[in-house]
Amino acid sequence: MRILIYDEKLSGHHLEYLQHYCQAAKNMCDDEFIICVPQVDYNAKKDYLPSSSEDNNISYDLIPDTEVQRILSGSPVRYGYRKAVSVADKAKKNNIDYVFLTDFITTIPFLLFLMPKGVKVRGIIYRIYLYLKGKISPLRYAFDTVCFWLMAKSYVMDRVFILNDESSAKRLNSIHHTDKFMALADPVTDIDSTKLKNMRDEMNVPVGNTIYFHFGALAERKGTLEILKAIILADSNTLNKKTFIFAGVVRNDIREQFYSLLDIAKNKVQIIVFDEFCSYEKLNCLCYTSDVILMPYRQTELSSGVLGYAAQLGKPVIGPKDGLIGKLILENNLGAVLKDVTASGIFDALISPVPKHLPSEYVERNSKKNFINTLWNGI
């Protein structure tokens, strides 16, 4: 089989997932993998990926920067159509049997009608619209329903993976009378315990301080600004013996506001910011060093890799109570949930005792092995 892996970005979990795909490819010697990623991203992050010379069944068909810019520009509809056209062109050019997309919902419905004859598609769904009834317009909810109906009925669609949500996969299969929807593990990152180190001393964190850690792409939808607002809202007694760490690139749309709030908040409590792309090793060490993981996400209808980091290192999380994230936190005893994702809601969490993290099967169920085995099963 010739398998095309297409991704127009390598930010966040996209790079991590691509590493998992490449690891699986090494054990599938009879299959050929063609990886299509942006030229600029590959050049910046190729040290994290295998070279074609290392693995005979892995090759690259890089997407020119001009094509990536054209795909990403314009309205969401144009983005989805242009991406679908690009995927279809790459599939035809490379004589592909299977296409795999780390993020493919934006290409629906276009991709279902543009793929070359005989090519099958698999992809991952993160945003689960079932959690959004009453939270989005009826028209948008109806559109999402139609898209999922098309995926269920299309001969092009081979598997639709629902990330970290078995109940929604079962419900979608029941609604659409199919078996195409399949729960997929949200893979927990491998952590080399020999490389873990406590960074308190090098960050000059006072002895006895409780460290609250917020990481990933720092954005409004992640509740990043609300954390700073909560700190500003809090009194000195609440902030006593607390340290806050932010790690990840601050998105441009909140950069000015982030640093404006930071200037005020850092006068009240110790705040450490790593505004950069952080290596996995650094994130592991920061997570290991911390006491609590803050994830006050506004988008709750999808899973988060932060849960895996926290679960593997035994750190409790504080996150939203709604949607899939809230369900995962509560069902797996991963920490505590917020009354609401606002500055006042986070403030209430800061004056509460540090939540407990109870042993669970979360890490085992979301192992990288389970993730890989599910993806390629049946090919």
Side-chain angles (χ1 to χ4, degrees), residues 46-82:
K46 61 185 176 181
D47 290 344
Y48 295 94
L49 298 169
S51 65
S52 299
S53 60
E54 292 175 346
D55 299 280
N56 295 328
N57 68 331
I58 296 177
S59 60
Y60 292 88
D61 185 357
L62 300 176
I63 310 170
D65 300 345
T66 53
E67 184 176 348
V68 174
Q69 292 169 7
R70 185 177 64 84
I71 292 170
L72 296 176
S73 65
S75 68
V77 174
R78 287 185 177 181
Y79 162 63
Y81 174 73
R82 289 169 176 169

Side-chain angles (χ1 to χ4, degrees), residues 336-350:
V337 292
L338 298 164
K339 294 177 182 178
D340 53 77
V341 183
T342 61
S344 61
I346 297 170
F347 170 78
D348 288 342
L350 295 179

Side-chain angles (χ1 to χ4, degrees), residues 9 77 91 99-100 127 139 156 159 204 207 210 227 229-230 239 249 281 288 300 307 312 323 361-362:
K9 51 192 171 187
V77 174
V99 167
F100 186 86
R127 178 182 170 274
L139 183 62
V156 171
R159 287 279 189 276
N204 295 315
V207 175
T210 299
I227 297 173
K229 292 176 184 177
L239 298 174
V249 177
E281 185 175 333
Y288 175 73
T300 62
L307 294 172
Q312 192 167 15
E361 298 176 355
Y362 188 86

Side-chain angles (χ1 to χ4, degrees), residues 17-28 50 55 58 190 368-369 372 376:
Y17 281 16
L18 183 55
Q19 290 176 317
H20 298 336
Y21 307 153
C22 291
Q23 184 174 336
K26 296 176 182 180
N27 299 320
M28 298 170 65
D55 299 280
I58 296 177
D190 288 336
K368 185 170 67 175
K369 179 180 178 181
I372 290 172
W376 307 123

